[in-house]
Amino acid sequence: MQMTPEFFILAIVTIVGISTPILLAALGELVVEKAGVLNLGVEGMMLVGAIAGFATTVFTGNPWVGVLAAAAAGATSSLIFGFLTLSLNSNQVATGLALTIFGTGVSSLIGTAFVGRIVPQFGSIFPPELARDPILKVLFGYSPIVYFSIIMVVLVWWFLTSTRAGLILRAVGENDLSAHSIGYSVIGVRYLAVAFGGAMAGIGGAYFSLVITPMWAERMTAGRGWIALALVVFASWRAPRLLVGAYFFGVLVYLELFAKASGLSILPSQFWAAMPYLMTVVVLTLISMRDRIGLNAPACLGKPFLPAT
Amino acid sequence: MRIKLEKRPEPSRLMLVVTPIASVLLTMAIGVVVFDLLGIDGFRAVVDIFISPILLSYKWQDVAVKAAPLIIIALGLSVGNRANVWNIGAEGQYIIGAVCAAGIGIAAGTTGGPLIILVMLLAGMVGGTAWATVPAALKTRFGVNEILTSLMLTYVATQVLGYLLSGPWKNPEGRNFPATAPLQPDQTLPILFPGTTVHLGIAIALVLPFAFWLLMSRSVFGYQIRVVGSAPNAARHGGFDSNQTVWLSMLIGGCMAGLAGALEFAGALKALNLGFPSGYGFTAIIVAFLGRLHPIGVLIAGIVLAITYVGGQVAQTTVKIPNATAGIFQALMLFFILASDVLVRNRIRIIPSRKSAAAAVRGE
Amino acid sequence: MAIFNRRHFLATAGAAAAALPLVGPALAQEKVKIGFVYLGPIGDFGWTWAHNKGREALEAALGDKVETVYVENVAEDASAIPVIRDLAQQGCKLIFTTSYGYMDQTIEVAKEFPDVKFEHCTGFKLADNVSVYNSRFHEGRAVLGTISGMMTKTGTLGYLGSYKVPEVVLGVNSFLLAAQKKNPDATLKVVFIDSWFDPPKEAAATETLLNLGADIVTTHTDSPAALQILEQRGLYGFGQGADMSAFAPNAHLSAIEDIWGPYYILRAQAIIDGTWTSSNTWDGMVDGTVVVSPYNAAVPADVAAEADKIKAGYMDGTFDIFTGPIYDQDGNLKVEEGKTLTLEELAVMDWFVKGVESAA
């Protein structure tokens, strides 16, 4: 095996494939958590997005419409969670878990009609000549969803740090009662955030069913939604770090597979698999040690909004 | 017209009892309709999922085996949840509990007897507690969010299990399949009724809720938990150390999850394999909420959820519903119960708005 | 959704119509009820899908004498016990538990129901009323290996594995030994992904194998993910468990199909005839249990001819890939010239042949 540029380029392309869906779902969850809501239903929303995107593409033949449908389906399922937790103040942890059970069931039931069908891969939209050159492939060899995920990182980052709306969203997550007293609609902001999170998770799910493997299989996300949840924490609720974290996770997975395929056994594979989670705990602890008061976790995370009336 | 929620000064006792029952009934009613629309005999499906496991006495043992770990884990979790401590990593603590019990079983070799069983159960409790120590310590020492750390550690626990089964603890007679050797017959929990699978763990699951009830209602600790949960500021003034509450509730949660793991291993499965973590720790969170965080409520909720699991499997063979449908059902039931929580805490008042009142007067 | 509902409606209506003549109690009583316990969903297009096809074949063949029921998504933990027991209590006379992880649970329930017969797939624990059955998938792998050995350009092959259990080890060794007969320098890179079903990881692992120079990848996990990656890269691979050519029309050179129908029909007939006895069955190509799918047009005629020779050799019993000399990874002679590994030896095989590059 030679360490040629070609070799690294191939590795990068694979890593992008591993990282993108998790990055998308995690970006959505980041906004949700910044608004002070913890939605553990990411896995369920991803599955709903995966089947909705696939089914729509089967019917319309247009993956762009499929991705939109995935976003809409993800957002719709997230609104069940939103209604229960925001309007009825139900417990967020339990409701999120219930949403995952729901999403798994609904996607399986709808999916039975789509097992064994395929759609064309939603791959690169650039002329193939561009992707033939190895260097250019790194830039032009991906599905539009990949570019979308990167653009969204920038947009979310800009939105949260530089816009008034982002400031309001963060205020709602940090101190809902003051935000309320200034006159912002805490519940309204949170609804929007939850729906955005659902849409992003849905698109992340569609990346599985339209790009990586253009097919439907029950539970095809195989737990990636939970990794997305971990990533948000790993990134300490910052969008640029989320990008780094998602790709770091991709590199770890690739290293594990690479070591196995090369016949190297430095450490048991389970160690590699546990790494992202252990790292998340460590990172979380380091952040917390560094600034105890400011701890970047939104202060209202997971707590219901109970204004004194 | 406007609907207004008014917070009740005290949670409604009536609603506390009525809403879960109403939720189950509502789920059943929707089920009949939805199944009929899907071309399945809806009435039969609902009967099979919710009623058959109760009517058929031979199903009771299945319900009991399924309910026991849910109840035990949920009891531990409900203590923490009452104090606003969110341990969602019970699944990991459950796995480590079983791993520790299995370690004792492997170390004991062919030696069996009550002492070995007791040590296995203790090891399970110690293991689960130890796994919960990490989030507890990080929370109290550095203020790290316990929801996230306990969840992360669940994945680590799964990998620990995978590592042990793939090599060190792999059954030498097991043809390389990732599983431990089965326990010796005298290393497993005693069966309470000969000819059934009802093991000692089920008795423990039935007794523990009452023990927790006493603990929560009679002891200073129970009082502390309730005060910290409902009025953290008052608790601080009252001299209750919030760190101490976090510690105790995390450790109780871990201990119970570990115990459940050890009981499941030594009572039901008798060997560890990769299929061991099947989500009891997560489902137990839901059980804790269905049971309104009350020990007796948890007991009932655990049984109800176990009934739907067992019934869902029955319905797969009788009315041939796909497994996914049973999942949708459980989710619906949970949604309803979580939604109905609002009725426990609030009173609904319908306020006619001025405009519509005026419209009503004009007869429009 | 509308289309989905109609499909469902039609399917159910069809089933209802088919069931109508059978509602008479006298007739219904004569039917032998047969239960199936599935690990995954029947829509996994892999392991469980194949078992369900076997069940459907059984219904088609003996539909007037048998009634079948199944439970899908049954975890390999203690909750499998009530599922198996429930099938027995419902009156099933024969119960197939179709995953290794149900072994002890099957034995346990079998003790409670001495009159019910049980069949456990891929396990090794027998009882008076418990049989085990498995399939010599590795025979099919020898055919695929032959094709790969002749068609590889890089001489590096890839194998996407689940766990290092005997079934997979046999597949790996059979595949590479066959390839080396055509291309003595062929090597095989193996990745175990610690799961039978994880499409994203299967896809990433396949890409990794390709990145390391493999140009043909065969899979021993359950989804068509790897084939779709190969299709995207313009390379070749094989289906696992079923003909997966629909998922990768160009990349899919062939597949090993798990055909459980013949065995299920045989065992059900034995119950009807009252001749069922506990047995350890390990069927292969000659029994119709392992079927190699039609070759892709991309397989040249001479390659197809060589592959067919292997098939024919298994059909008439003149060929066995595990015939010496066979060397292990470190070059030690494990099987002497002229000797052939016995089924008992194969059942516990845990070493790789020379040329396998694997960490495990």
Side-chain angles (χ1 to χ4, degrees):
Chain A
M1 165 188 56
Q2 290 160 329
M3 294 287 172
T4 57
E6 171 87 2
F7 172 82
F8 285 103
I9 285 157
L10 288 171
I12 290 169
V13 172
T14 303
I15 290 165
V16 168
I18 301 169
S19 307
T20 299
I22 306 164
L23 176 61
L24 284 164
L27 261 179
E29 180 69 14
L30 182 141
V31 172
V32 178
E33 291 189 15
K34 268 292 183 189
V37 181
L38 179 67
N39 184 354
L40 296 183
V42 180
E43 179 80 359
M45 299 188 295
M46 287 181 96
L47 280 167
V48 170
I51 187 60
F54 185 78
T56 309
T57 309
V58 167
F59 289 136
T60 63
N62 186 336
W64 295 88
V65 181
V67 172
L68 282 179
T76 309
S77 61
S78 76
L79 287 177
I80 302 174
F81 170 88
F83 177 70
L84 291 170
T85 56
L86 302 175
S87 294
L88 301 181
N89 274 334
S90 73
N91 178 270
Q92 294 180 6
V93 170
T95 313
L97 291 172
L99 181 62
T100 288
I101 299 176
F102 183 74
T104 310
V106 167
S107 62
S108 306
L109 191 63
I110 298 172
T112 46
F114 293 93
V115 169
R117 311 199 50 176
I118 54 161
V119 294
Q121 190 203 18
F122 188 31
S124 173
I125 46 166
F126 297 105
E129 296 78 45
L130 275 175
R132 206 161 291 147
D133 179 84
I135 306 292
L136 290 178
K137 191 183 165 105
V138 172
L139 297 174
F140 299 109
Y142 311 105
S143 163
I145 301 180
V146 172
Y147 305 102
F148 172 76
S149 72
I150 307 286
I151 294 168
M152 285 311 286
V153 171
V154 178
L155 280 181
V156 165
W157 177 64
W158 169 78
F159 170 81
L160 287 175
T161 55
S162 312
T163 67
R164 195 177 147 72
L167 184 72
I168 295 170
L169 183 129
R170 283 189 293 140
V172 163
E174 287 299 335
N175 193 336
D176 49 7
L177 293 177
S178 341
H180 175 68
S181 64
I182 308 168
Y184 297 126
S185 166
V186 172
I187 298 298
V189 169
R190 287 185 175 171
Y191 259 111
L192 289 174
V194 165
F196 175 77
M200 292 295 281
I203 298 173
Y207 191 83
F208 290 113
S209 63
L210 295 178
V211 184
I212 303 184
T213 52
M215 60 168 187
W216 166 253
E218 258 190 76
R219 301 172 195 218
M220 70 184 301
T221 54
R224 297 306 182 281
W226 300 101
I227 294 172
L229 282 166
L231 255 184
V232 178
V233 186
F234 178 83
S236 54
W237 295 271
R238 288 183 175 95
R241 284 192 197 168
L242 201 62
L243 182 71
V244 175
Y247 279 83
F248 179 65
F249 173 79
V251 169
L252 275 181
V253 171
Y254 189 74
L255 277 180
E256 177 202 342
L257 296 169
F258 177 80
K260 285 175 169 174
S262 321
L264 308 168
S265 65
I266 310 158
L267 287 164
S269 69
Q270 289 83 7
F271 177 82
W272 294 99
M275 270 295 269
Y277 306 106
L278 281 172
M279 295 287 290
T280 303
V281 172
V282 171
V283 167
L284 196 55
T285 308
L286 288 177
I287 309 163
S288 310
M289 283 168 77
R290 206 184 55 201
D291 64 351
R292 285 209 57 166
I293 316 136
L295 178 64
N296 206 26
C300 296
L301 187 60
K303 298 185 181 118
F305 171 59
L306 300 166
T309 42
Chain B
M1 194 183 82
R2 210 156 62 87
I3 294 172
K4 191 171 188 291
L5 289 176
E6 268 186 7
K7 198 166 161 55
R8 297 178 197 266
E10 289 276 306
S12 161
R13 292 234 158 186
L14 178 70
M15 284 296 171
L16 211 53
V17 178
V18 169
T19 52
I21 298 170
S23 301
V24 175
L25 291 176
L26 189 58
T27 311
M28 290 163 73
I30 289 180
V32 173
V33 176
V34 171
F35 281 130
D36 276 336
L37 287 177
L38 288 173
I40 299 166
D41 181 351
F43 184 73
R44 177 80 196 280
V46 167
V47 166
D48 276 342
I49 293 177
F50 291 93
I51 314 286
S52 296
I54 305 172
L55 294 184
L56 305 172
S57 58
Y58 63 82
K59 284 269 147 220
W60 294 353
Q61 55 172 334
D62 301 341
V63 173
V65 171
K66 193 91 195 170
L70 289 175
I71 293 167
I72 296 173
I73 302 171
L75 278 176
L77 294 182
S78 58
V79 172
N81 292 354
R82 280 207 163 194
N84 278 327
V85 176
W86 302 100
N87 172 11
I88 65 169
E91 180 81 358
Q93 294 141 20
Y94 169 80
I95 295 170
I96 295 298
V99 162
C100 291
I104 298 293
I106 288 169
T110 52
T111 320
L115 189 65
I116 292 290
I117 294 174
L118 186 67
V119 175
M120 283 203 295
L121 297 187
L122 286 176
M125 290 161 84
V126 170
T129 310
W131 210 246
T133 305
V134 181
L138 293 176
K139 167 83 172 180
T140 50
R141 188 101 173 76
F142 305 115
V144 187
N145 187 326
E146 75 281 11
I147 298 181
L148 305 163
T149 46
S150 60
L151 178 65
M152 297 302 108
L153 287 170
T154 296
Y155 301 111
V156 178
T158 315
Q159 297 304 329
V160 169
L161 175 71
Y163 169 68
L164 291 170
L165 296 183
S166 72
W169 287 6
K170 190 161 62 182
N171 180 6
E173 314 281 300
R175 305 202 173 182
N176 245 335
F177 277 91
T180 63
L183 290 174
Q184 305 289 323
D186 59 350
Q187 290 174 332
T188 59
L189 294 184
I191 295 289
L192 300 180
F193 304 100
T196 69
T197 45
V198 178
H199 56 79
L200 184 67
I202 288 154
I204 295 176
L206 288 175
V207 172
L208 272 178
F210 296 94
F212 268 77
W213 192 14
L214 280 180
L215 175 80
M216 292 302 285
S217 58
R218 294 291 148 84
S219 70
V220 178
F221 170 69
Y223 179 67
Q224 177 179 345
I225 289 284
R226 278 179 287 137
V227 172
V228 171
S230 56
N233 291 330
R236 215 165 299 139
H237 289 299
F240 290 130
D241 179 1
S242 74
N243 274 352
Q244 192 195 357
T245 317
V246 171
W247 269 108
L248 281 171
S249 39
M250 280 302 279
L251 297 189
I252 289 177
C255 182
M256 286 299 114
L259 174 65
L263 290 171
E264 184 72 5
F265 164 69
L269 202 57
K270 301 171 185 113
L272 275 189
N273 60 27
L274 290 169
F276 184 79
S278 52
Y280 280 117
F282 291 112
T283 313
I285 297 172
I286 293 164
V287 170
F289 278 92
L290 297 191
R292 306 283 186 208
L293 307 183
H294 187 283
I296 307 304
V298 163
L299 174 65
I300 297 167
I303 294 171
V304 169
L305 218 61
I307 285 173
T308 62
Y309 270 111
V310 171
Q313 280 162 340
V314 173
Q316 278 192 57
T317 54
T318 52
V319 280
K320 314 215 159 151
I321 59 163
N323 176 265
T325 326
I328 296 176
F329 253 63
Q330 278 170 356
L332 274 184
M333 187 171 75
L334 300 174
F335 284 150
F336 286 136
I337 294 188
L338 289 164
S340 66
D341 224 16
V342 75
L343 295 174
V344 177
R345 282 178 279 112
N346 301 283
R347 172 180 295 136
I348 290 183
R349 278 188 50 193
I350 298 170
I351 306 165
S353 72
R354 234 174 262 158
K355 200 174 157 195
S356 62
V361 169
R362 285 204 307 271
E364 281 176 21
Chain C
M1 275 312 279
I3 287 176
F4 159 66
N5 278 337
R6 194 160 64 231
R7 278 176 70 119
H8 246 245
F9 172 72
L10 288 175
T12 357
L20 267 180
L22 310 168
V23 284
L27 246 169
Q29 265 175 3
E30 287 170 21
K31 283 193 152 197
V32 175
K33 200 167 177 181
I34 298 170
F36 291 81
V37 181
Y38 295 148
L39 177 64
I42 55 171
D44 69 353
F45 221 88
W47 183 256
T48 295
W49 185 86
H51 280 286
N52 198 48
K53 285 283 161 207
R55 183 189 65 83
E56 286 171 8
L58 169 61
E59 285 247 319
L62 302 173
D64 51 340
K65 300 194 200 94
V66 300
E67 178 196 349
T68 64
V69 289
Y70 68 86
V71 190
E72 57 179 339
N73 280 327
V74 177
E76 291 178 305
D77 65 0
S79 60
I81 293 174
V83 175
I84 303 169
R85 187 192 296 117
D86 184 63
L87 290 170
Q89 271 157 343
Q90 280 186 28
C92 289
K93 291 289 167 244
L94 179 63
I95 296 168
F96 293 95
T97 53
T98 64
S99 181
Y100 176 81
Y102 304 139
M103 184 162 67
D104 294 315
Q105 295 91 320
T106 306
I107 295 287
E108 185 149 344
V109 178
K111 282 184 206 147
E112 295 173 37
F113 298 91
D115 297 334
V116 178
K117 312 301 181 197
F118 297 83
E119 300 255 358
H120 177 237
C121 190
T122 71
F124 54 85
K125 288 189 183 168
L126 288 153
D128 283 345
N129 59 338
V130 181
S131 285
V132 293
Y133 65 105
N134 202 343
S135 196
R136 298 198 297 271
F137 304 112
H138 58 266
E139 296 180 354
R141 297 271 168 202
V143 180
L144 309 190
T146 305
I147 298 173
S148 305
M150 294 178 80
M151 288 183 72
T152 177
K153 294 192 181 74
T154 62
T156 304
L157 303 171
Y159 201 106
L160 177 62
S162 48
Y163 299 101
K164 197 189 164 189
V165 294
E167 177 195 321
V168 181
V169 172
L170 288 176
V172 167
N173 290 340
S174 173
F175 182 76
L176 182 60
L177 286 173
Q180 284 171 343
K181 286 192 196 298
K182 299 297 170 197
N183 180 349
D185 297 328
T187 58
L188 183 63
K189 293 184 182 297
V190 185
V191 173
F192 293 104
I193 62 161
D194 297 326
S195 172
W196 284 103
F197 180 83
D198 185 338
K201 197 164 182 183
E202 290 171 53
T206 306
E207 287 195 23
T208 309
L209 286 165
L210 301 181
N211 294 353
L212 284 168
D215 61 350
I216 297 181
V217 175
T218 186
T219 52
H220 213 136
T221 54
D222 285 346
S223 90
L227 277 167
Q228 294 200 310
I229 297 298
L230 292 161
E231 183 85 3
Q232 291 160 22
R233 293 275 190 107
L235 295 169
Y236 296 123
F238 302 94
Q240 145 80 359
D243 186 324
M244 294 178 170
S245 51
F247 290 97
N250 301 307
H252 186 277
L253 291 180
S254 181
I256 301 175
E257 297 178 33
D258 306 353
I259 307 294
W260 301 105
Y263 183 74
Y264 291 160
I265 294 167
L266 195 73
R267 301 304 276 176
Q269 190 63 50
I271 293 284
I272 296 167
D273 301 342
T275 56
W276 191 98
T277 51
S278 173
S279 62
N280 182 350
T281 307
W282 205 8
D283 281 343
M285 235 181 247
V286 67
D287 312 283
T289 306
V290 179
V291 170
V292 175
S293 308
Y295 306 128
N296 194 303
V299 177
D302 60 323
V303 176
E306 288 300 309
D308 281 338
K309 273 190 207 162
I310 305 288
K311 267 203 258 182
Y314 271 116
M315 290 310 236
D316 61 19
T318 55
F319 179 80
D320 192 320
I321 190 68
F322 289 108
T323 306
I326 299 174
Y327 297 88
D328 71 6
Q329 270 177 303
D330 303 323
N332 305 315
L333 183 66
K334 294 287 272 194
V335 185
E336 285 170 33
E337 180 140 18
K339 287 215 168 149
T340 302
L341 288 174
T342 63
L343 284 180
E344 287 72 30
E345 286 167 323
L346 291 179
V348 294
M349 192 173 210
D350 62 352
W351 50 273
F352 289 124
V353 299
K354 195 177 173 191
V356 172
E357 294 172 13
S358 165

